[in-house]
Amino acid sequence: MKLLDQKVTLITGASRGIGRGMALELAKQGSSVAFTYLSSPDKAAELEKELSTFGIKAKGYKSDASDFKAAEELIAAVLNDFGRIDVVVNNAGITRDNLLMRMSEEHFDEVIRTNLKSVFNITKAVQKSMLKERKGSIINISSVVGVKGNAGQANYAASKAGIIGFTKSIALELGSRNIRCNAIAPGFIETEMTAVLNPDVVKQWREAIPLKRGGTPEDVANLVVFLASDMSSYITGQVINVDGGMLT
Ligand code: NAP
């Protein structure tokens, strides 16, 4: 008997990075996994194959999380294929970093749409089926940057802070129906998103982390497994950092 046997999880943006790490850990614990991607069909196909080796049902869907109608179609397709959605991880995200002086309106809007509006799109589309089941766990991936701010990331920080307000509000709205909603605030996690950063900046980040290392997708995935499981059944409305102590 595994921790997540019989559960069905939907993860947005799992073709790479943290989302991919989550998909693998959830599958290892027995959860079936539906996941989305946007521009990496080969990586998505590879992941689908790898997930199936854990003896669970797995399927990747090409779907733009920032598109409201696409989110409705995605949830309908996943419900049709899997029968139920117990856990949603709103993970898809992008950065378009620049100082405010040089930040374009387009890059501000793109980050808000992909990182924040996507959480509204997917959560709104899935809530009806979770209400019917009278249970659910919604896990939103925020960031320490949404708590603390970061120069050069006003768009990203605003999107991640918005996720925290959204998470707490949904926890209040849906708690009486046994639907939990929590946010995870990762610190510096080594993925393609952070691989583009200036090495001097990365060195500074590492030195400022009490555990003296960047995190891995598995570090975040372990908390996702816990929040997806019934072991966290009395936890809702929380923002939990996975940051090596960065914000301490
Ligand atoms: P990543 O390696 O760049 O991967 C991003 C993933 O999101 C990819 O699978 C990508 O899919 C998907 N994606 C992007 N736009 C999408 C859209 N519109 N619709 C659907 N999928 C979309 O990033 P990561 O580091 O794993 O980050 C994952 C999440 O953690 C993000 O929300 C990020 O903000 C958050 N986070 C990351 C860190 C960190 O240090 N890495 C820290 C704090 C929070 P395709 O490749 O198919 O386009």
Side-chain angles (χ1 to χ4, degrees), residues 162-200:
I163 286 177
I164 292 173
F166 185 86
T167 299
K168 288 175 183 266
S169 304
I170 297 308
L172 292 171
E173 272 187 41
L174 300 183
S176 64
R177 310 298 181 90
N178 196 30
I179 298 168
R180 301 182 292 111
C181 187
N182 292 288
I184 296 178
F188 175 74
I189 309 296
E190 296 187 6
T191 66
E192 285 177 36
M193 183 178 273
T194 46
V196 298
L197 294 174
N198 176 321
D200 291 338

Side-chain angles (χ1 to χ4, degrees), residues 13-19 36-40 63-66 91-94 114 141-143 156 160 186-189 191-194:
S15 44
R16 300 181 277 120
I18 296 173
T36 71
Y37 62 95
L38 187 61
S39 57
S40 311
S63 180
D64 182 349
S66 71
N91 168 74
I94 57 168
T114 303
I141 306 303
S142 176
S143 166
Y156 183 79
K160 295 299 183 180
F188 175 74
I189 309 296
T191 66
E192 285 177 36
M193 183 178 273
T194 46

Side-chain angles (χ1 to χ4, degrees), residues 10-135:
L10 167 65
I11 311 171
T12 63
S15 44
R16 300 181 277 120
I18 296 173
R20 182 176 193 282
M22 290 169 188
L24 291 167
E25 294 305 316
L26 288 159
K28 275 184 207 164
Q29 293 298 333
S31 178
S32 290
V33 177
F35 70 91
T36 71
Y37 62 95
L38 187 61
S39 57
S40 311
D42 295 348
K43 288 182 179 169
E46 239 171 68
L47 177 64
E48 199 178 286
K49 234 193 257 168
E50 204 174 334
L51 290 171
S52 306
T53 65
F54 295 102
I56 50 102
K57 180 168 173 164
K59 187 167 175 181
Y61 300 79
K62 183 171 184 199
S63 180
D64 182 349
S66 71
D67 180 330
F68 184 76
K69 193 150 189 335
E72 287 185 324
E73 287 165 3
L74 169 73
I75 298 299
V78 175
L79 287 172
N80 186 51
D81 294 340
F82 288 77
R84 213 177 62 235
I85 300 173
D86 303 296
V87 180
V88 166
V89 189
N90 284 307
N91 168 74
I94 57 168
T95 50
R96 295 289 181 266
D97 298 351
N98 226 328
L99 294 173
L100 182 60
M101 201 179 289
R102 290 196 282 267
M103 188 178 288
S104 66
E105 182 187 5
E106 192 193 2
H107 278 177
F108 186 84
D109 288 348
E110 196 183 345
V111 167
I112 296 293
R113 265 200 318 273
T114 303
N115 297 6
L116 177 59
K117 183 156 179 282
S118 61
V119 179
F120 163 79
N121 293 342
I122 299 283
T123 307
K124 187 167 168 63
V126 82
Q127 79 160 348
K128 200 169 155 197
S129 81
M130 284 188 172
L131 285 169
K132 210 173 92 198
E133 298 288 336
R134 286 203 154 259
K135 66 177 165 64

